[in-house]
Amino acid sequence: MKKLLLLTFILGLFFTAQAQFTGGLGGGPKKSTVTGRITATILDSLTKKPIDYATVSLVNTKDNKSVNGGVTDAKGKLSLQNVSPDSYKLMIGFMGYKTKSVLVTTTPSKPDNNIGTIYISSSENTLADVQVQGTKAVIENKIDRMVYNAEADGTNAGGDATDVMRKVPMLSVDVDGNVQLRGGAVRVLINGKPSGTMASSVSDALKMIPAEQIKSVEVITSPSAKYDAEGSGGIINIITKKSNAQGVSGTVNASAGTRQNNGAFNLTAKTGRLSVNASLGTNLAYAQDSRVLFENTTRTDTIGKTTITNIMQDGVSKWSRKGYNGSFGVDYDFNAYNNVSSNIKYNNFSNGGPGEADYVLNNVPFKNISDMDMGFNNFDWNVDYKHTTKKEGEEFTMSGQLSSGRNTTDFQNEIIGSSFPAVNNNNTGKNQEYTIQSDYTYPFSKSTILEVGAKGIFRNINSEFSNNANQDFEYKQDVASAYGVISFKLSKKLNFKGGLRSEYTDISFNTEKAGIQKNDYFNVFPSAIISQTLKGNATLKLSYNRRVQRPSLAYLNPFRNESDQFNIRQGEPTLRPELSDNLELGYSTFIKGSVINASVFYRRTGGVIESSITPLKENGFEKTLSTYINVGVAQTYGANVFASYNPKPKWTLMTNLGVNTYEVSNTQTGLSTGTFLNYNIFGRSAYGFGKGYNFELFGVVNSPRRTYQGKTDAMVFYGASFKKDILNKKGSIGINTLNPFTKDLHIKTVNNSVTTLGNKVSTLYQSTNIYYPLRSFGVNFSYSFGKLKFTEKKKIKNDDVKQDQQQGGGMGGGVQQ
């Protein structure tokens, strides 16, 4: 009840405050997004006959840049769609005719303008055909974020979102697809909104999204107080493809390969103020053999006695993955100032398969037969309303979202020829999440802008374990938040943006074994950023923010996963959230068409959550229990350098180098890991041969990763693609490969644990060698149809929730450990 009263109070204050503004509810930092159309008929001044295929360019009068255009039809008619309100010059030209310029103006209240008939006269001079093209840089560096334009990178064809993330600057992805930003946990959004699928498991959710559906990935290292405080390392926002062209348009993508097959279809129909869009994606990964070599040794020392238990495992899992996702959205402009939109998304994904392994338990051989299947499905529905006013930049929005998900884990295994009982069990998790949010932006001037808002999130998670009701788990988490952000100029070249966000979290959870428990807390999250514009388009930026990382269901769920009877996994519902303070100094500059972005940062994280292994003795045999604990405090120092360079106009070189330290300490337990260095390196080379031929190479190196108990070896990924534009550049066909010279990706992880209980000391050594079948070859095809947008001619520019680390799936087949 407390949380509902708090949220009602916050929303009441918010609506009372915004109602005082005489400018109405409205606006954002940008102009109204409503668009209109310009129509005309082009005739010969003498014959009065229509001029077909006359070239028309719409030029903005403020900067003389072409923003739209097209050609006339057989009747001389012209229709330019998707035109933003502004003042323009309509430039009309045709071979043998004089170029003619006509002034045109559209406004938010009258976005459409029918010019009528325009006459052009003949001339001995000819007008060359207007070349219309646009080239988007793969990386764009903006003041508050770095943008990776996935649609401009040909090496992504045939992959999924996990493959895309491996090439995004500052991100590191482990072999299971878990993502970190500069060594810290991240909050992943889809088109600026949270997803129930992401809340369950980021690694599995990313595998559901074909790479061809991703337009770009935004990496936000210094989020303002407007954003949810979730994500100790920052925010990743995945933008999916969506067309803004009038009429019907869309894309079709398909890929087939030795590792996985993908398909994606996007369709947009837009007429006047109404826009409808739909998408469908599917992926299938073949069942492939993933080998696991496992060793577990437990030594127990008591007074005068030492006991050693040893388990050796050599097995193969033959896992496959399949999934599909779809979305449908409607967007409607009532007028220039009122817009409503709604979108539904559905995801379905499953992976798993049979496996068998040879066990040696204290020199006695056995064989284990197993089978496992994990399923995920989720439904998201959101409704958004936006109101703007005649005051540029003023905006009011209301948003609501419903998210409903269901996750299942079924496993069974039997150790042949032993007295160990067979295991056959399943777990079903159900997630319901409701979100309501309101935001208001008011510009006092072009440089002074106030943003305020309130938000409520209500989560209800239930986990049912088929064979043991004592492990059933009900978890409720409600978050009420409010924020305020102000931005203004300190001087002509010095800008400031700062804010404060408050969040009250109300948690209650119930287990049949322990009953109902509570865990409420209140946090305040400040943020501030100062940016200085230097000579030569260089920028210097200093930022600070506080973030939180709440544990997800995979960390909290107390059910015992006994898919491997000797290595049991279990969540911990009493985990506390991670709290981190982040300080960053960044510098970016452009030098003769090249871009360099460099930053150094410091992060202090309290209550770090990590996986922990401890000995567990059951039925007279030593086993291993893997769970999660709040280890201690981590202090991280790091740096990141991104650079892009064009040795030749058609050749682009790009690299990103990130380094950060790892160190965890706990004064209460006496833990001190020492300081270790992590790094990740990304390199890319792209060359255009002309006539639509393009070749690209990329490589990623992730250093060894440390935890307080162990170490995981380095990982290396590399690949290439060759693509040819076809069908008048509306389509492309290509081939790609990933790790062509290495069949398997070998990952070795070693953990050590020492547990003292009275006079008993248990020492645990665990070694895991995983061989993932990563090598792949594939072919891909893409095609864009419908009415395409007319873009200005451009030169190549170079201005370029903590998730479970034990999830199955992997890359090309999961591994049962």
Side-chain angles (χ1 to χ4, degrees):
M1 189 65 185
K2 290 185 296 181
K3 57 183 179 294
L4 294 176
L5 291 174
L6 176 61
L7 180 61
T8 302
F9 177 69
I10 291 173
L11 291 173
L13 286 178
F14 172 71
F15 287 121
T16 302
Q18 64 84 24
Q20 304 304 315
F21 289 102
T22 58
L25 295 174
K30 298 180 180 179
K31 294 183 179 180
S32 171
T33 57
V34 68
T35 59
R37 61 182 177 272
I38 294 175
T39 55
T41 302
I42 312 301
L43 303 180
D44 185 292
S45 62
L46 295 178
T47 65
K48 312 302 182 196
K49 291 183 179 181
I51 306 295
D52 57 347
Y53 295 103
T55 304
V56 181
S57 179
L58 188 66
V59 178
N60 192 296
T61 57
K62 295 178 181 178
D63 53 18
N64 285 322
K65 289 185 177 180
S66 176
V67 297
N68 206 327
V71 294
T72 57
D73 61 16
K75 296 182 180 180
K77 294 184 179 296
L78 169 75
S79 180
L80 301 182
Q81 306 285 354
N82 202 35
V83 178
S84 299
D86 215 329
S87 297
Y88 303 98
K89 289 186 295 184
L90 199 66
M91 307 294 294
I92 307 161
F94 190 65
M95 187 175 297
Y97 287 81
K98 295 179 181 179
T99 300
K100 187 164 186 175
S101 175
V102 179
L103 293 176
V104 184
T105 300
T106 62
T107 64
S109 57
K110 293 183 178 180
D112 297 332
N113 193 334
N114 184 0
I115 303 173
T117 301
I118 300 175
Y119 296 99
I120 61 175
S121 56
S122 62
S123 171
E124 294 181 355
N125 298 324
T126 60
L127 177 68
D129 291 338
V130 175
Q131 182 182 5
V132 182
Q133 64 181 31
T135 302
K136 181 175 287 188
V138 174
I139 302 293
E140 294 181 87
N141 180 36
K142 299 185 178 181
I143 186 171
D144 62 340
R145 68 196 64 192
M146 184 171 286
V147 182
Y148 170 74
N149 291 306
E151 63 181 349
D153 189 344
T155 61
N156 289 321
D160 55 37
T162 305
D163 300 308
V164 174
M165 291 296 174
R166 291 194 179 96
K167 293 183 283 182
V168 178
M170 294 184 285
L171 299 186
S172 60
V173 185
D174 69 14
V175 71
D176 287 323
N178 299 291
V179 183
Q180 285 191 329
L181 172 55
R182 301 194 301 195
V186 294
R187 170 77 159 168
V188 180
L189 306 176
I190 304 292
N191 297 319
K193 296 184 179 296
S195 166
T197 311
M198 291 291 178
S200 298
S201 171
V202 168
S203 60
D204 289 296
L206 292 176
K207 296 184 182 76
M208 301 181 197
I209 308 173
E212 289 82 358
Q213 283 190 336
I214 300 176
K215 178 182 179 182
S216 61
V217 179
E218 299 178 340
V219 180
I220 308 172
T221 58
S222 301
S224 73
K226 182 175 182 178
Y227 291 94
D228 288 345
E230 194 93 16
S232 58
I235 294 174
I236 299 172
N237 186 25
I238 299 174
I239 307 296
T240 57
K241 292 180 179 178
K242 179 181 177 181
S243 173
N244 291 318
Q246 287 281 342
V248 178
S249 60
T251 59
V252 178
N253 304 91
S255 62
T258 59
R259 185 167 67 102
Q260 61 182 358
N261 307 280
N262 287 340
F265 174 73
N266 297 274
L267 179 69
T268 297
K270 187 171 184 179
T271 174
R273 311 284 182 260
L274 177 66
S275 176
V276 178
N277 61 84
S279 69
L280 180 65
T282 182
N283 60 73
L284 171 64
Y286 298 115
Q288 299 185 67
D289 291 341
S290 298
R291 186 185 180 196
V292 176
L293 299 177
F294 180 82
E295 178 183 357
N296 197 98
T297 301
T298 303
R299 173 173 173 158
T300 304
D301 293 302
T302 56
I303 298 177
K305 184 179 179 181
T306 297
T307 304
I308 297 177
T309 301
N310 180 263
I311 304 173
M312 302 288 291
Q313 173 186 340
D314 187 349
V316 173
S317 296
K318 198 175 186 68
W319 278 29
S320 61
R321 292 201 321 267
K322 59 183 178 180
Y324 60 88
N325 66 80
S327 68
F328 179 79
V330 177
D331 188 286
Y332 183 71
D333 291 311
F334 290 99
N335 51 42
Y337 307 112
N338 294 278
N339 170 272
V340 65
S341 63
S342 182
N343 185 266
I344 58 174
K345 293 184 295 184
Y346 180 76
N347 294 288
N348 185 286
F349 173 77
S350 65
N351 64 355
E356 62 178 57
D358 293 321
Y359 275 66
V360 179
L361 281 64
N362 291 335
N363 299 318
V364 179
F366 296 99
K367 181 176 285 293
N368 182 64
I369 305 298
S370 63
D371 199 359
M372 186 170 182
D373 181 74
M374 294 188 296
F376 306 84
N377 65 73
N378 191 83
F379 172 81
D380 292 324
W381 176 34
N382 64 273
V383 179
D384 303 279
Y385 168 73
K386 181 172 68 174
H387 175 77
T388 60
T389 70
K390 293 182 179 180
K391 185 178 181 64
E392 182 181 335
E394 188 180 16
E395 179 179 289
F396 171 76
T397 62
M398 282 287 295
S399 302
Q401 178 169 294
L402 162 67
S403 186
S404 177
R406 181 185 178 91
N407 304 337
T408 58
T409 302
D410 301 321
F411 58 84
Q412 56 186 356
N413 64 72
E414 181 180 2
I415 301 178
I416 307 299
S418 76
S419 60
F420 293 99
V423 175
N424 186 350
N425 223 322
N426 67 76
N427 173 250
T428 300
K430 300 176 182 178
N431 176 59
Q432 293 283 340
E433 183 173 310
Y434 305 89
T435 303
I436 182 171
Q437 178 176 350
S438 184
D439 301 280
Y440 178 68
T441 302
Y442 184 80
F444 294 99
S445 65
K446 288 185 177 181
S447 60
T448 304
I449 300 172
L450 173 68
E451 299 172 274
V452 294
K455 185 175 185 178
I457 306 173
F458 309 95
R459 298 186 177 102
N460 190 355
I461 299 172
N462 291 284
S463 173
E464 299 175 357
F465 196 70
S466 63
N467 289 350
N468 190 347
N470 287 331
Q471 295 184 47
D472 288 351
F473 180 56
E474 183 177 357
Y475 181 83
K476 294 183 179 180
Q477 180 192 84
D478 301 322
V479 182
S481 59
Y483 74 89
V485 178
I486 185 75
S487 57
F488 54 86
K489 284 185 174 293
L490 295 171
S491 66
K492 185 177 181 180
K493 295 184 178 182
L494 190 63
N495 298 292
F496 172 82
K497 185 174 186 177
L500 191 66
R501 185 181 187 91
S502 61
E503 292 188 354
Y504 172 70
T505 305
D506 182 8
I507 294 176
S508 64
F509 57 91
N510 176 53
T511 62
E512 293 293 332
K513 185 177 181 180
I516 298 177
Q517 300 182 59
K518 300 283 289 182
N519 185 17
D520 301 351
Y521 48 88
F522 177 79
N523 299 106
V524 176
F525 302 97
S527 67
I529 180 170
I530 299 176
S531 64
Q532 171 76 51
T533 302
L534 307 175
K535 293 182 179 180
N537 293 322
T539 303
L540 188 65
K541 177 180 67 175
L542 178 65
S543 64
Y544 164 78
N545 61 75
R546 174 172 288 181
R547 310 286 296 169
V548 66
Q549 187 65 46
R550 300 178 180 91
S552 66
L553 174 62
Y555 282 76
L556 299 166
N557 195 347
F559 100 93
R560 284 168 51 120
N561 185 334
E562 295 180 293
S563 55
D564 184 336
Q565 293 192 44
F566 304 106
N567 296 280
I568 301 166
R569 298 196 297 271
Q570 186 174 25
E572 175 50 63
T574 61
L575 283 175
R576 303 184 308 276
E578 297 179 349
L579 286 172
S580 63
D581 292 276
N582 304 273
L583 186 65
E584 178 183 358
L585 177 64
Y587 173 79
S588 61
T589 186
F590 304 91
I591 304 174
K592 296 182 179 180
S594 299
V595 60
I596 297 176
N597 176 269
S599 61
V600 293
F601 67 92
Y602 167 75
R603 178 172 63 247
R604 184 187 186 278
T605 305
V608 173
I609 301 173
E610 286 192 5
S611 176
S612 177
I613 60 172
T614 55
L616 176 67
K617 190 169 186 176
E618 290 185 337
N619 300 321
F621 197 85
E622 293 287 350
K623 301 180 180 181
T624 301
L625 175 65
S626 296
T627 187
Y628 299 95
I629 65 173
N630 292 104
V631 180
V633 176
Q635 296 196 74
T636 303
Y637 299 86
N640 191 89
V641 177
F642 168 80
S644 178
Y645 172 61
N646 288 83
K648 295 183 179 180
K650 295 182 179 180
W651 186 14
T652 300
L653 296 176
M654 190 178 299
T655 186
N656 186 84
L657 172 63
V659 295
N660 65 269
T661 61
Y662 172 84
E663 178 189 7
V664 175
S665 60
N666 190 320
T667 56
Q668 294 182 349
T669 62
L671 170 68
S672 180
T673 63
T675 303
F676 301 95
L677 185 68
N678 296 327
Y679 62 86
N680 64 286
I681 303 171
F682 167 71
R684 176 179 182 270
S685 174
Y687 191 82
F689 294 93
K691 297 184 179 180
Y693 290 95
N694 296 276
F695 179 70
E696 299 185 20
L697 293 169
F698 83 93
V700 179
V701 178
N702 288 334
S703 72
R705 286 297 188 263
R706 301 278 181 168
T707 65
Y708 89 102
Q709 285 185 330
K711 171 187 174 183
T712 298
D713 281 354
M715 289 179 285
V716 178
F717 314 95
Y718 56 94
S721 75
F722 185 81
K723 185 177 70 173
K724 172 67 171 69
D725 294 333
I726 59 176
L727 303 175
N728 294 322
K729 295 188 176 182
K730 291 186 176 181
S732 68
I733 188 169
I735 58 175
N736 58 77
T737 181
L738 180 65
N739 282 35
F741 305 112
T742 310
K743 178 184 177 182
D744 297 319
L745 180 65
H746 176 206
I747 304 298
K748 181 178 180 180
T749 301
V750 175
N751 289 307
N752 292 276
S753 170
V754 178
T755 304
T756 302
L757 183 61
N759 295 324
K760 180 180 177 181
V761 178
S762 296
T763 303
L764 177 62
Y765 169 83
Q766 190 179 83
S767 172
T768 306
N769 286 272
I770 302 176
Y771 296 83
Y772 286 96
L774 185 62
R775 180 168 62 190
S776 67
F777 301 90
V779 296
N780 56 81
F781 169 79
S782 66
Y783 177 69
S784 300
F785 60 89
K787 193 154 190 169
L788 302 179
K789 292 181 68 176
F790 184 106
T791 60
E792 65 175 295
K793 181 176 180 180
K794 297 181 180 179
K795 296 181 180 179
I796 296 177
K797 295 182 179 180
N798 292 301
D799 52 345
D800 314 358
V801 169
K802 190 93 175 181
Q803 297 298 323
D804 181 17
Q805 305 293 313
Q806 298 287 340
Q807 290 292 332
M811 297 158 48
V815 176
Q816 181 178 333
Q817 300 180 19

